[in-house]
Amino acid sequence: MSLKDIFKNMFSYKKQIENDVQQGEEVVNSNIADIYMNRELSWLKFNERVLNEAGNSKVPLAERLSFISIFQSNLDEFFRVRVGFLLDQLESDPTIRENKTNMTAEEQINEILKETRLLNLKNSVIYNQLMEELAQQGVVLINFNNLSDKEGKYLEKYFEKEIAPYLSAAIISKQQPFPFINNKDIYAVAQLESNKGKLKLAVVPCSKNVFPRLIAIPSREGTFMLSEELILHFIPKIFKNYKVKEKSLIRVLRSADIDTENHYDDYLEYREMMEKLIKQRKRMSPVKLEYSRELSKQMVNTLCKEIHVKKEHVFQPISQIPLDLSFVSSIQNYFKDMNERQLFYERRSPRMTSQLDNTKRIMPQILEKDVLLAYPFESINPFIRLLREAANDPSVVSIKMTLYRLADRSKIIDALIEAAENGKEVVVLVELRARFDEEHNIEYSRKLEEAGCRVIYGLKGFKVHSKICLISRKTENGISYITQIGTGNYNEKTSALYTDLSLITADQAIGTEVAGVFSALLFGEKVEESNLLLVAPKCLQNKVIQMIDEEIEHVKNGEEGYIGIKINSLSDKDIIDKLIEASQAGVKIEMIVRGICCLIPGVEGYTDNIKVISIVGRFLEHSRIYRFGTKDREKVYISSADFMTRNTIHRVEVAAPVLDDNLKERLDWMFETMLEDDEKGKILTNRGVYEDRNLHEPKINSQELFYEKAYQNAEQSKSAYH
């Protein structure tokens, strides 16, 4: 299919959807003002912004490959988690309606499937454009139509020697039933005809670790073929006694919506129960079937029946885009080996913060002042150094920490183990329900226990998503705390890829409240009251709503009211409705919401005073900042919690006040700079679409600006400390 045909199909399909809406065939929620957006459809809009970066000519070519791969992996996880959840809901109670747009599970699934097909069309256009640009750089993904006879014979010999011996092909019969199709693996399927005219179905697994995904063509530098395409081409050599009538590659996504609470087993230790559930997830129901070549209706029906997937969840090929784009990392490595640095972003690495003297111990400096680290612009190393110092400091009696996602070969884990081996009390809450990181966390929990750490697993019914670390010291004046509270995980790898904030403070009031959080967790309880901190599930949503009410009161008293929020997602209806009320009262509200945003701004009479932008750039925006009040009375928090119901009332989350005036000013500057970002920041209009902005010349890229500032500060502090 040509690019022209693809664009034609895109516009035709979009027009069809618009006509359906105009005719009322898909209209729901018509009695509610257009101030809400469905959570799932809003997420798809976010993933489209990720895809747009793959098509953005201003982004270096090799980096655009990352964005198109991330788009696909995001979409895979969305189907496994969210569509899986909706399918379960549809089966258990189809009358349940979502609380903002009043859509049933079935209506949401139908809209998701429509939007996904449209996104796939756009994806194929961008993918083909990327392939054309790669070809200009000397890298080609080739098929058999473009091979010479000599190259074809080479690949035939390669297949026979390096691939065929490792394949486990099957012809389906009564004696050999249809095999289980693993999640995300690629399979070749074919309809075969025997010498007697009987039709048979054949399946060949293509996802093997024993041969490379990209196979180099020796006669052409930079030319490759995907291994599954090679297998599909040579299917006649596998089934020599049959005629191949039709063939295709397929890929299945399976639901990942496991419910740990309803599957609770009193006879199993919690960690063993989680291991059992993880194994179950690998065999859960399919939510999506993709295939790469045109297949007959009969063949598709057969696959649906054998795989147990609904026909509506089958996605047919568009422009033969590969079913799995993870191979792009190999192309990026090829460019790196060829030293093609111009195809990548400018090299950046986290800088040492200018707030600390790197030649001195960290702990005494924290006792003198609060420190705020901003990742990835600043390094996580000062925090790791703090943990190591605590592990060896005679005054430190205990380290308590919550862990959600960790890096491979984690230095954080090493520091905690060192502390335990040195006789410190080390209490670690390892959240085993961190989706897709469960096995990783189970392994680390065992490693910590073996080293003498006390490991706990959180509260029944509530994931512990907070990012808190408490170092307790015995001093002449009694107990003394050093506390770290963050917006992101204790993961050295993602700290160089995600924007996050980490507050380290010796404030004793904050330390005392964090100690209370750990006490509650150890008792299997929830924090019922808090003063400085906001602690979900009992003391975050209500306190946020209270602070919004305070801004409403200031406006009613003739003063200015202001709310500034930076989060990843906004779907908590109680908070949304209170923000609408604040807007109607005249409170100025500015929000930076990366992903899901169920509130539509700028709707006359409702959200006139609300502005929403989304930043999708080189680094994943992950930090959360809450600002309430004008400069003279401002309260500023950093938090692990988005404004989603799952965070505000179904998880243990912690937001910490930033009390130091200099740090508050820094956060205000960062927030206001992001609001002005017109390079990567898109504004959400009252039509529910995201649009570009032209505010500055040249345009502002907040992430690049923050990195430049970090480099400057590091150089200045190096001179100052030396």
Side-chain angles (χ1 to χ4, degrees):
M1 186 183 292
S2 68
L3 293 180
K4 183 178 179 182
D5 290 335
I6 291 169
F7 276 117
K8 184 178 179 181
N9 285 349
M10 284 181 65
F11 292 126
S12 174
Y13 189 79
K14 188 175 181 182
K15 188 69 176 176
Q16 176 189 332
I17 294 173
E18 291 171 351
N19 289 340
D20 286 346
V21 172
Q22 289 172 4
Q23 294 167 18
E25 293 176 14
E26 297 297 334
V27 172
V28 293
N29 188 34
S30 59
N31 60 335
I32 298 177
D34 295 328
I35 51 177
Y36 301 112
M37 188 183 298
N38 175 264
R39 165 186 168 154
E40 320 303 347
L41 300 182
S42 178
W43 185 91
L44 288 173
K45 289 179 183 289
F46 155 68
N47 207 31
E48 183 176 12
R49 296 194 292 282
V50 174
L51 179 59
N52 288 341
E53 288 298 289
N56 185 349
S57 60
K58 294 181 180 179
V59 175
L61 179 58
E63 307 291 355
R64 289 162 64 191
L65 294 174
S66 291
F67 281 108
I68 201 166
S69 179
I70 292 168
F71 165 80
Q72 185 188 62
S73 60
N74 281 350
L75 193 60
D76 286 351
E77 184 173 331
F78 174 77
F79 264 79
R80 297 190 67 201
V81 177
R82 296 307 305 167
V83 177
F85 165 77
L86 290 171
L87 286 170
D88 287 345
Q89 189 180 90
L90 180 61
E91 185 175 338
S92 61
D93 187 352
T95 65
I96 294 175
R97 291 186 177 271
E98 182 259 338
N99 69 350
K100 288 172 281 293
T101 55
N102 205 33
M103 297 172 73
T104 64
E106 184 177 16
E107 289 168 337
Q108 292 179 78
I109 291 169
N110 289 340
E111 289 300 313
I112 287 168
L113 295 176
K114 282 184 180 179
E115 290 299 319
T116 300
R117 294 185 199 283
L118 196 57
L119 279 175
N120 283 348
L121 287 166
K122 186 173 189 177
N123 185 32
S124 69
V125 173
I126 292 174
Y127 173 80
N128 280 292
Q129 181 62 42
L130 284 173
M131 290 299 106
E132 289 180 10
E133 293 185 42
L134 284 175
Q136 294 170 14
Q137 297 295 329
V139 171
V140 176
L141 207 60
I142 203 167
N143 58 42
F144 272 87
N145 294 331
N146 304 111
L147 290 175
S148 67
D149 290 342
K150 184 178 179 181
E151 289 166 338
K153 288 178 181 177
Y154 165 79
L155 286 175
E156 184 174 5
K157 289 180 180 178
Y158 183 94
F159 172 79
E160 291 172 346
K161 183 179 179 181
E162 303 293 340
I163 294 181
Y166 302 102
L167 299 178
S168 302
I171 297 177
I172 309 308
S173 65
K174 290 181 180 180
Q175 291 74 32
Q176 190 162 178
F178 196 89
F180 181 80
I181 303 298
N182 291 320
N183 178 64
K184 294 173 68 173
D185 279 2
I186 297 174
Y187 294 78
V189 296
Q191 188 180 70
L192 308 177
E193 185 179 46
S194 70
N195 295 332
K196 297 180 180 180
K198 289 187 177 181
L199 297 179
K200 301 269 189 180
L201 179 63
V203 180
V204 184
C206 299
S207 298
K208 297 283 186 180
N209 294 325
V210 292
F211 47 80
R213 179 87 188 281
L214 280 184
I215 299 168
I217 310 297
S219 57
R220 302 195 210 182
E221 178 68 33
T223 302
F224 305 92
M225 177 173 286
L226 290 169
S227 59
E228 64 264 26
E229 291 292 338
L230 192 62
I231 294 169
L232 186 68
H233 181 80
F234 285 118
I235 269 190
K237 294 183 72 67
I238 300 173
F239 305 103
K240 297 178 181 179
N241 298 323
Y242 294 86
K243 179 181 179 182
V244 178
K245 300 286 288 183
E246 54 182 326
K247 60 183 180 179
S248 178
L249 300 169
I250 66 168
R251 179 172 176 264
V252 169
L253 296 180
R254 295 188 175 276
S255 174
D257 185 43
I258 55 173
D259 186 342
T260 58
E261 303 310 319
N262 290 337
H263 288 84
Y264 197 87
D265 189 335
D266 290 328
Y267 293 99
L268 288 177
E269 189 261 342
Y270 186 73
R271 187 164 55 198
E272 292 175 350
M273 184 199 75
M274 286 302 303
E275 289 177 313
K276 179 181 175 183
L277 288 177
I278 293 164
K279 291 178 181 177
Q280 288 179 7
R281 184 168 67 193
K282 294 177 180 178
R283 303 189 68 85
M284 289 181 73
S285 299
V287 293
K288 189 181 186 186
L289 167 64
E290 303 167 299
Y291 61 98
S292 68
R293 301 289 195 281
E294 291 293 340
L295 291 174
S296 66
K297 185 177 180 181
Q298 179 186 3
M299 182 72 160
V300 172
N301 289 342
T302 300
L303 290 172
C304 288
K305 180 181 177 182
E306 296 288 357
I307 297 171
H308 307 291
V309 64
K310 295 181 179 180
K311 293 177 184 176
E312 303 84 52
H313 291 250
V314 176
F315 286 77
Q316 57 191 16
I318 302 171
S319 189
Q320 293 192 8
I321 183 170
L323 297 179
D324 179 355
L325 296 176
S326 60
F327 66 87
V328 300
S329 60
S330 297
I331 294 177
Q332 291 172 319
N333 290 335
Y334 174 83
F335 283 134
K336 288 175 182 176
D337 291 341
M338 300 295 288
N339 202 30
E340 300 284 358
R341 289 304 313 171
Q342 76 280 4
L343 301 179
F344 294 87
Y345 286 124
E346 179 185 352
R347 289 177 186 264
R348 295 287 200 185
S349 59
R351 301 288 91 186
M352 291 304 300
T353 178
S354 60
Q355 302 162 83
L356 296 168
D357 184 346
N358 195 40
T359 65
K360 298 179 181 178
R361 295 180 71 242
I362 302 295
M363 196 176 295
Q365 297 182 72
I366 299 299
L367 295 174
E368 294 178 4
K369 64 178 180 181
D370 292 355
V371 169
L372 182 73
L373 302 178
Y375 310 144
F377 321 107
E378 294 174 325
S379 172
I380 194 175
N381 285 338
F383 174 65
I384 296 173
R385 280 187 58 197
L386 175 66
L387 283 180
R388 285 175 174 164
E389 287 179 17
N392 293 281
D393 192 302
S395 71
V396 172
V397 293
S398 72
I399 302 173
K400 297 182 176 74
M401 201 167 183
T402 59
L403 299 178
Y404 195 76
R405 299 189 196 278
L406 292 156
D408 293 327
R409 297 181 293 278
S410 170
K411 295 178 182 178
I412 304 287
I413 294 292
D414 291 344
L416 294 174
I417 288 173
E418 183 180 3
E421 290 174 344
N422 288 342
K424 315 294 183 186
E425 180 193 28
V426 179
V427 179
V428 187
L429 188 145
V430 181
E431 182 50 79
L432 300 186
R433 293 163 292 185
R435 201 184 303 271
F436 303 123
D437 270 6
E438 298 98 338
E439 291 176 280
H440 203 217
N441 288 2
I442 286 169
E443 180 184 340
Y444 271 132
S445 71
R446 287 200 173 99
K447 188 174 182 180
L448 288 164
E449 277 187 342
E450 289 168 2
C453 303
R454 181 180 176 185
V455 177
I456 59 176
Y457 304 119
L459 305 180
K460 185 177 180 180
F462 296 87
K463 282 187 182 181
V464 178
H465 189 252
S466 57
K467 315 298 191 283
I468 51 176
C469 176
L470 184 70
I471 299 170
S472 301
R473 301 167 56 247
K474 184 178 181 180
T475 69
E476 294 178 356
N477 299 320
I479 192 76
S480 176
Y481 298 116
I482 291 178
T483 310
Q484 182 275 340
I485 302 175
T487 67
N489 298 303
Y490 297 110
N491 185 317
E492 301 94 297
K493 181 180 178 180
T494 58
S495 72
L497 301 172
Y498 299 176
T499 74
D500 269 310
L501 298 163
S502 175
L503 174 68
I504 310 175
T505 178
D507 185 282
Q508 295 308 292
I510 289 177
T512 299
E513 288 202 24
V514 170
V517 174
F518 278 109
S519 293
L521 292 172
L522 284 164
F523 292 156
E525 299 172 352
K526 298 178 282 292
V527 172
E528 298 290 337
E529 293 182 9
S530 65
N531 181 24
L532 289 170
L533 302 180
L534 313 180
V535 186
K538 295 281 191 177
C539 310
L540 192 147
Q541 185 199 63
N542 58 337
K543 288 180 176 288
V544 166
I545 288 174
Q546 179 183 331
M547 286 187 280
I548 298 173
D549 276 329
E550 290 172 2
E551 293 310 301
I552 293 173
E553 286 302 310
H554 280 288
V555 172
K556 287 181 178 178
N557 294 332
E559 303 169 327
E560 290 184 10
Y562 178 78
I563 298 168
I565 304 294
K566 181 184 184 295
I567 48 180
N568 302 325
S569 299
L570 172 65
S571 65
D572 184 316
K573 191 170 186 296
D574 289 342
I575 292 178
I576 288 173
D577 287 345
K578 185 56 68 173
L579 289 171
I580 293 169
E581 182 184 338
S583 172
Q584 290 174 316
V587 178
K588 182 180 179 181
I589 303 169
E590 296 176 318
M591 294 196 291
I592 305 164
V593 185
R594 182 198 76 208
I596 297 166
C597 184
C598 296
L599 171 65
I600 297 179
V603 177
E604 187 176 354
Y606 293 94
T607 56
D608 315 60
N609 293 305
I610 299 178
K611 172 183 177 181
V612 178
I613 71 161
S614 170
I615 297 174
V616 176
R618 175 176 180 175
F619 306 104
L620 180 77
E621 288 293 337
H622 195 255
S623 57
R624 290 95 165 182
I625 304 170
Y626 311 158
R627 301 171 67 200
F628 296 96
T630 51
K631 292 286 186 182
D632 56 326
R633 54 181 180 80
E634 183 180 42
K635 300 175 186 175
V636 180
Y637 297 82
I638 66 167
S639 177
S640 61
D642 292 314
F643 286 171
M644 305 179 77
T645 306
R646 74 175 189 186
N647 297 94
T648 56
I649 62 175
H650 292 306
R651 288 184 175 182
V652 177
E653 304 271 13
V654 173
V658 178
L659 304 176
D660 182 276
D661 287 338
N662 291 329
L663 299 186
K664 284 169 71 173
E665 285 182 14
R666 183 184 179 200
L667 284 174
D668 287 346
W669 172 74
M670 292 181 73
F671 189 96
E672 287 154 14
T673 301
M674 286 184 278
L675 281 175
E676 292 295 306
D677 189 325
D678 54 352
E679 181 65 53
K680 298 300 182 183
K682 314 297 180 186
I683 190 163
L684 179 58
T685 71
N686 59 9
R687 304 189 313 281
V689 298
Y690 289 84
E691 293 183 349
D692 291 334
R693 301 184 297 167
N694 294 297
L695 306 177
H696 309 280
E697 187 56 47
K699 289 189 172 187
I700 288 178
N701 183 326
S702 58
Q703 293 180 354
E704 289 299 323
L705 194 61
F706 295 153
Y707 238 127
E708 289 172 13
K709 185 72 172 175
Y711 270 77
Q712 291 171 7
N713 289 342
E715 285 300 316
Q716 291 171 4
S717 65
K718 190 185 295 183
S719 301
Y721 290 133
H722 292 81

